[in-house]
Amino acid sequence: MTEAGTYEVNYSTTMTAAVATTITLAVRVDGIDVPSATISRALAVGTSSLFNGSTVVTLAAGNVIDMALSALLAVGITLGSGVNATLSVKKLD
């Protein structure tokens, strides 16, 4: 972020796992998971699942925001077709 302030963060992705396992999607600030924007879900093989949400965070100038996936097991992930992941950040003040 170039300016400090309060931001609304919206995130979404759809994915399918090649192996049954628990997948975690996290929005991160400077590599640290934002607790209010972290979703863990057990996925069955071949079942598509939507991970999405919205949160409000306070950011400092220079913070880097991203999304990351992690799993309990090594697993192949197939993202949804078309726009397969979105992350939007809107300054509120």
Side-chain angles (χ1 to χ4, degrees):
M1 298 290 99
T2 58
E3 294 181 35
T6 302
Y7 289 82
E8 177 184 271
V9 178
N10 296 288
Y11 54 95
S12 177
T13 190
T14 301
M15 67 185 86
T16 304
V19 174
T21 190
T22 298
I23 304 290
T24 299
L25 170 72
V27 173
R28 305 182 309 175
V29 175
D30 295 334
I32 299 170
D33 294 357
V34 176
S36 61
T38 300
I39 302 169
S40 291
R41 190 171 291 147
L43 296 183
V45 175
T47 302
S48 181
S49 185
L50 172 66
F51 289 70
N52 68 335
S54 180
T55 192
V56 174
V57 295
T58 301
L59 299 173
N63 280 151
V64 175
I65 190 164
D66 66 9
M67 287 192 311
L69 291 175
S70 60
L72 294 177
L73 303 172
V75 60
I77 296 292
T78 301
L79 297 177
S81 62
V83 176
N84 47 35
T86 61
L87 176 65
S88 67
V89 182
K90 178 174 68 174
K91 191 168 190 307
L92 299 175
D93 73 357

